[in-house]
Amino acid sequence: MSTDQKYILVVDDNPTNLAVISQALKVGGYKLRVASDGEEALAMVERCANLQSEQALPELILLDVQMPGIDGFETCRRLQENPATKAIPVIFMTALNDAESKVQGLSMGAVDYITKPFEQEEVLARVKVHWRLKQLTDYLEQEVAERTALLKHTQLQLIQQEKLSTLGQLVAGVAHEINNPLSFVVGNIAPAKEYLADITKLLNLYQKNYPQPVAAVAAQIEDMDLEFALEDFTKILDSMQLGTERIQDISLSLRNFARSSNDTRIKADLHEGMNSTLVLLKHRLKNQGNRGEIEVIKHYGNLPEVDCYPGPMNQVFMNLFANAIDALEEAWEKDQRPLKIQIDTEVYHDDTIIIQIADNALGMTENVRKNLFQPLFTTKSIGKGTGLGLSIAQQIVVDKHSGKLLCDSTPGNGTEFRVEIPL
Ligand SMILES: Nc1ncnc2c1ncn2[C@@H]1O[C@H](COP(=O)(O)OP(=O)(O)O)[C@@H](O)[C@H]1O
Ligand SMILES: [Mg+2]
């Protein structure tokens, strides 16, 4: 609300009084509205308290005590009762010698009184004080509301980061624990293959030298389909080997991704970080249901190892890739285009690492682009998006690495995020 809309409500049944006080207030430069009794005043204020109302509540109410219908005290009581009007300061207007009214008015929640007959100077002086107090109170209330909102955001981010770091430790722990049992399997596949080869050789020798086995042996060979079993056994071992190799790959990526270097800078290979992150997102890149596969095109430049926080950097890549995948899924629903993510990396001017992650999804509107990095800003449904991904990514790139995180996007034309890390 702009200042020029602010006004004082004067309530008095006596036209002469109204005229005098209005004159005084106008001299002071105040805008006012008038009501001629308590009920009219209450109706007016309640209309203003309505959310859809154009008219704001008065800054101050000057209230006569003796009026027909409900008197000033009752009017004041009802104003106090209503949470929407409770905060409007009330100044009573009483006769000079009416000490009892003054006390009663103040005890009912009025902030002050002015006496009749009115002294213009006194009226203005008192109104000025309470007007100013009201402005200060409003300002403070607004300030508190804004800071509280900010605190909530910060707290949310902290909780989210704490969760991530706990999760990171858990993941790293699990990945580590998996390694031991996994190595039993991986390590035993090669000897198992050798034994199988030896046994096959032996059986072949038997068959060659004893072409006519006894009936029981012949029946067993027939029953188990020996030839097929031997052939299939090799294939089974091969696919077990492939499977365990994949588990090893994932376990390594998990450890890589979740490396707990949240608070120590070390030299790290950012390509390795991105590759690990992509391995963890493989299930989302693959074609799903009828959705096509997302092709990841890597144009990796020649990057040196970068002095950075690798765990948090991976978090940045994870958020950017996950957002691109979300956007591509939405694009697929619209027009089944071929889905692509392109990664470009290079060293710029010998002093900056540039990583660009682009998708060919639907892009975003100017409004989305402007709010992208706001904590809690999301266009996704509850459960799918938290709106924290990019604000956390920005914090990691900008605050932790003194870098830049920029976004370039036009609706219909895909989106490109650019991470810049100074060397
Ligand atoms: N690659 C992208 N393409 C289109 N919109 C995007 C892309 N990345 C982010 N956005 C928009 O930015 C918003 C905020 O992203 P983010 O902070 O990661 O939160 P969330 O993913 O939980 O919504 C998303 O809801 C989306 O509208
Ligand atoms: Mg996100």
Side-chain angles (χ1 to χ4, degrees):
M1 182 184 40
S2 70
T3 323
D4 50 44
Q5 277 179 308
K6 296 185 177 180
Y7 65 96
I8 298 173
L9 174 61
V10 184
V11 193
D12 201 323
D13 61 310
N14 182 327
T16 320
N17 279 346
L18 270 182
V20 176
I21 198 110
S22 300
Q23 180 57 30
L25 292 173
K26 277 180 189 154
V27 168
Y30 296 100
K31 295 236 155 68
L32 44 128
R33 300 179 75 196
V34 295
S36 56
D37 61 45
E39 269 163 23
E40 190 189 332
L42 285 171
M44 230 158 122
V45 170
E46 269 156 28
R47 256 199 323 275
C48 297
N50 185 331
L51 274 181
Q52 272 101 51
S53 167
E54 292 280 298
Q55 182 78 53
L57 287 166
E59 297 301 297
L60 211 60
I61 298 178
L62 299 192
L63 191 56
D64 187 23
V65 175
Q66 270 159 7
M67 292 181 292
I70 59 171
D71 66 5
F73 296 139
E74 178 59 18
T75 310
C76 182
R77 198 186 60 74
R78 292 197 198 171
L79 283 168
Q80 293 280 320
E81 223 173 50
N82 183 348
T85 57
K86 197 174 163 24
I88 310 169
V90 172
I91 299 180
F92 273 112
M93 302 185 284
T94 83
L96 183 58
N97 51 9
D98 191 359
E100 203 182 318
S101 288
K102 292 174 190 162
V103 173
Q104 190 175 355
L106 291 172
S107 71
M108 298 206 62
V111 295
D112 206 350
Y113 57 83
I114 45 186
T115 48
K116 295 191 253 193
F118 297 121
E119 281 288 337
Q120 179 165 315
E121 305 272 293
E122 184 194 343
V123 169
L124 278 181
R126 292 193 189 247
V127 164
K128 193 174 159 195
V129 168
H130 292 290
W131 178 278
R132 170 121 186 90
L133 272 177
K134 173 72 166 42
Q135 307 310 308
L136 282 173
T137 313
D138 286 353
Y139 169 76
L140 280 179
E141 269 171 13
Q142 196 190 339
E143 192 82 342
V144 168
E146 277 168 17
R147 303 237 169 147
T148 311
L150 194 73
L151 257 176
K152 263 194 199 148
H153 279 176
T154 317
Q155 192 184 27
L156 244 167
Q157 274 189 316
L158 280 175
I159 292 173
Q160 189 71 6
Q161 274 174 5
E162 180 57 31
K163 265 196 211 158
L164 284 176
S165 113
T166 317
L167 200 64
Q169 285 169 27
L170 185 77
V171 166
V174 170
H176 180 77
E177 288 305 318
I178 285 177
N179 257 3
N180 245 340
L182 190 60
S183 59
F184 304 157
V185 183
V186 175
N188 286 329
I189 287 178
K193 273 182 166 171
E194 271 171 42
Y195 290 145
L196 177 63
D198 286 350
I199 292 169
T200 308
K201 205 163 152 193
L202 177 67
L203 285 175
N204 286 340
L205 264 178
Y206 265 111
Q207 273 179 329
K208 209 168 150 196
N209 292 301
Y210 303 94
Q212 298 299 336
V214 294
V217 173
Q220 175 63 19
I221 290 173
E222 173 81 26
D223 248 17
M224 66 180 287
D225 195 348
L226 179 63
E227 203 179 330
F228 174 79
L230 287 176
E231 207 182 288
D232 203 37
F233 203 164
T234 320
K235 286 187 191 154
I236 288 173
L237 286 175
D238 282 345
S239 83
M240 281 167 78
Q241 190 165 25
L242 208 70
T244 48
E245 272 164 16
R246 250 187 239 165
I247 298 176
Q248 265 184 323
D249 207 19
I250 293 171
S251 156
L252 184 71
S253 299
L254 275 176
R255 264 186 307 163
N256 237 325
F257 180 81
R259 20 196 330 168
S260 51
S261 42
N262 267 323
D263 30 45
T264 37
R265 282 186 97 103
I266 53 169
K267 285 215 177 288
D269 177 355
L270 292 181
H271 289 151
E272 190 186 292
M274 282 192 279
N275 290 341
S276 295
T277 309
L278 287 169
V279 168
L280 298 182
L281 283 169
K282 206 165 189 168
H283 70 288
R284 295 204 60 202
L285 296 168
K286 279 195 301 217
N287 50 344
Q288 290 176 355
N290 61 349
R291 194 206 77 194
E293 174 158 347
I294 298 174
E295 187 190 356
V296 179
I297 305 158
K298 297 176 186 172
H299 292 165
Y300 286 172
N302 204 355
L303 295 192
E305 294 213 312
V306 183
D307 194 29
C308 67
Y309 300 90
M313 275 314 292
N314 290 341
Q315 186 63 45
V316 173
F317 300 139
M318 178 61 106
N319 283 329
L320 295 180
F321 290 140
N323 279 344
I325 294 171
D326 285 343
L328 288 168
E329 274 175 351
E330 208 185 313
W332 175 268
E333 269 164 36
K334 190 166 164 256
D335 57 17
Q336 284 88 51
R337 67 185 73 186
L339 307 175
K340 285 182 193 145
I341 294 177
Q342 181 166 325
I343 310 169
D344 287 271
T345 65
E346 60 167 329
V347 179
Y348 184 71
H349 279 180
D350 283 340
D351 60 5
T352 311
I353 299 257
I354 295 183
I355 297 165
Q356 278 161 307
I357 296 173
D359 63 61
N360 67 333
L362 300 172
M364 56 183 90
T365 61
E366 179 60 18
N367 183 47
V368 172
R369 208 188 57 75
K370 267 200 255 159
N371 290 297
L372 217 52
F373 298 110
Q374 294 291 329
L376 300 180
F377 175 83
T378 180
T379 55
K380 296 166 197 171
S381 53
I382 298 174
K384 187 141 200 253
T386 59
L388 288 174
L390 286 177
S391 76
I392 289 176
Q394 192 185 43
Q395 204 179 357
I396 293 169
V397 173
V398 177
D399 298 348
K400 264 190 130 86
H401 294 90
S402 316
K404 285 186 193 154
L405 178 58
L406 310 165
C407 172
D408 188 15
S409 176
T410 35
N413 240 349
T415 301
E416 182 179 284
F417 281 93
R418 181 184 165 105
V419 182
E420 294 187 13
I421 306 284
L423 277 171

